[in-house]
Amino acid sequence: MTESHAEAAAQTLRTDLVGIVVVSHSRPLARAAVELASEMVQADSRPTIRIAAGLDEHTLGTDAAAVSSAVEELSGCPGILVLVDLGSSILSAEMAGEFLGPEVSAKMRISPAPLVEGLLVAAITASTGVDLEAVASEAARALEPKQKQIG
């Protein structure tokens, strides 16, 4: 899948599935992770994934307002799982929750999952139509297969 396909896939809004927001310091990293996750799920069952990454196309950083906007775009979803990469992305996601209205904020959960593995598991799990609790739970366990394989 090319970058334009990944972005097009991210534009489709599925309000019947848990939505996912990827918060990363790097927009290229977020796009690559979303592209990888999108490859793992059939297009017709793919959850909506939004990216809030980088301060712009080339500048590393996170922006709570951008995270808030991405979450708000998914407000029609039954739940919104926010996956983060590094420390301050957690702070931006937490601050974004403060910008949201109580109805949307209540639908949002920040995941402790590793970004890439968690996103893959979250996208696959969300595609089955389960609720936010199930998606968040499976994403949080995303490192277990790697840990078992390495030993």
Side-chain angles (χ1 to χ4, degrees):
M1 178 180 285
T2 65
E3 183 173 309
S4 61
H5 285 116
E7 291 192 45
Q11 297 303 312
T12 304
L13 181 60
R14 294 282 308 258
T15 57
D16 58 331
L17 301 174
V18 170
I20 300 169
V21 174
V22 175
V23 180
S24 172
H25 285 73
S26 167
R27 197 168 296 173
L29 173 63
R31 285 187 176 136
V34 170
E35 183 176 346
L36 180 61
S38 296
E39 287 291 323
M40 302 296 163
V41 181
Q42 294 286 331
D44 62 348
S45 62
R46 194 172 293 151
T48 304
I49 303 173
R50 293 290 188 254
I51 293 173
L55 298 180
D56 58 41
E57 197 62 41
H58 305 288
T59 308
L60 300 177
T62 60
D63 177 355
V67 177
S68 178
S69 292
V71 171
E72 186 69 41
E73 286 180 37
L74 302 180
S75 63
C77 295
I80 304 154
L81 188 65
V82 178
L83 291 143
V84 296
D85 62 0
L86 303 171
S88 63
S89 65
I90 299 168
L91 298 174
S92 290
E94 289 173 341
M95 187 178 294
E98 296 174 13
F99 297 159
L100 299 166
E103 307 88 32
V104 178
S105 182
K107 291 182 174 184
M108 175 183 140
R109 178 157 325 153
I110 301 170
S111 175
L115 183 65
V116 174
E117 291 88 345
L119 176 58
L120 292 174
V121 171
I124 292 166
T125 305
S127 74
T128 66
V130 297
D131 64 14
L132 176 61
E133 182 64 33
V135 175
S137 176
E138 290 300 313
R141 298 179 22 214
L143 272 183
E144 289 178 7
K146 185 189 288 182
Q147 290 170 326
K148 287 179 182 173
Q149 185 175 3
I150 293 173

